Amino acid sequence: MRHLTDIPDLTAEEIDELISVACDIIERPDRYSQVCLRKKIATLFYEPSTRTRLSFETAMLDLGGSVIGFSSADNSSVAKGESVADTIKTVSCFADIIAIRHPKEGAAYVAAANSSVPVINAGDGGHSHPTQTLTDLLTIKREMGRLGDLTIGCCGDLKFGRTVHSLISAMSRYSGVRFVLISPEELTIPDYVRCDILDKNHIPYKETRDLETSIPDLDILYMTRVQRERFFNEADYVRLKDTYVLTPEKLAGASDNMRVLHPLPRVNEISVSIDSDPRAAYFRQVRNGKFIRMALIMMLLGLTPGF
Ligand code: NCD
């Protein structure tokens, strides 16, 4: 049985396969509309979500399956004090596959260890978010035509932003990838990302505070919001929240081929006037999330279209 708790659970070849299945789904959706007939996904969301939960649910519906779950821990037995392990043991009696989001780092590992069905990590605290990264990779592939030979700028909250940690982990596998890590000093990437991923794999990267001077060199600008819910005090959040705001003036320094990605939700870090710029790829990125999750559900359930 396979789980997806973090990017290293997938080989580079498997990621390529997921991307090519997702592209086929985009081309020929009808071929996939019955693959998960009578299968159920449980979406267990202990933290707020719009895109991730709804894209998992739509993915399963578009594969012909159905959906159970909760969108807030308050209306499940979690509110009575049930552990993640017991909830998972229960839900795996009912569902064929589980997607879980939880505020604690490592919760998805606990879930996987206690599940009799495949578990997908839909975000564990400030740690990782592998299906957002699969979405990002599909987006980069479709927008740029390649996943190697790219300079990727990650901007904002690189400390608590779990999507950035998973993105660095996945993109570090492709040749010719360089990172420009743009953040305030307090919100730089965690040491384990720096040591265990970047340094260990000899990936070139630069850390800077300055967005404007970095923009001309980038192929991808991956913006993130400051993760208010992970701060220990509100004053620090307020001080840091508007450090970076991507405006049309700043974007003017970018190449025509650069793409702006953002896992969303956006708070204030991208001016809405950028949404109509062809380089703004973040709403196309949302759409891609459903297709790659369809491919992932099929892979973890060992299902293929029968015709
Ligand atoms: C991200 C998350 O939950 O980590 N959102 C998402 O899943 N698309 C990013 C965020 O909340 O800032």
Side-chain angles (χ1 to χ4, degrees), residues 81-105:
E82 187 168 60
S83 66
V84 168
D86 285 0
T87 299
I88 292 291
K89 283 180 186 157
T90 304
V91 174
S92 41
C93 299
F94 306 135
D96 300 286
I97 187 164
I98 295 172
I100 180 170
R101 167 172 289 187
H102 197 282
K104 285 224 172 77
E105 292 78 9

Side-chain angles (χ1 to χ4, degrees), residues 34 41 63 84 86 102 142 163 187 206 229 233 252 279 296:
Q34 313 269 312
I41 190 169
L63 290 166
V84 168
D86 285 0
H102 197 282
R142 293 187 75 198
T163 63
L187 299 178
K206 165 171 118 182
E229 64 275 37
N233 76 71
R279 290 169 289 190
L296 178 67

Side-chain angles (χ1 to χ4, degrees), residues 62-121:
D62 284 358
L63 290 166
S66 46
V67 176
I68 59 172
F70 52 80
S71 56
S72 149
D74 300 343
N75 48 34
S76 73
S77 284
V78 177
K80 300 177 182 172
E82 187 168 60
S83 66
V84 168
D86 285 0
T87 299
I88 292 291
K89 283 180 186 157
T90 304
V91 174
S92 41
C93 299
F94 306 135
D96 300 286
I97 187 164
I98 295 172
I100 180 170
R101 167 172 289 187
H102 197 282
K104 285 224 172 77
E105 292 78 9
Y109 296 89
V110 175
N114 287 280
S115 181
S116 54
V117 300
V119 168
I120 303 171
N121 181 5

Side-chain angles (χ1 to χ4, degrees), residues 2-3 11 28 47 86 94 114 117 186 205 241 304:
R2 298 283 307 268
H3 303 288
T11 64
R28 306 187 278 177
E47 262 194 347
D86 285 0
F94 306 135
N114 287 280
V117 300
E186 295 94 327
Y205 70 95
K241 72 182 170 71
T304 47

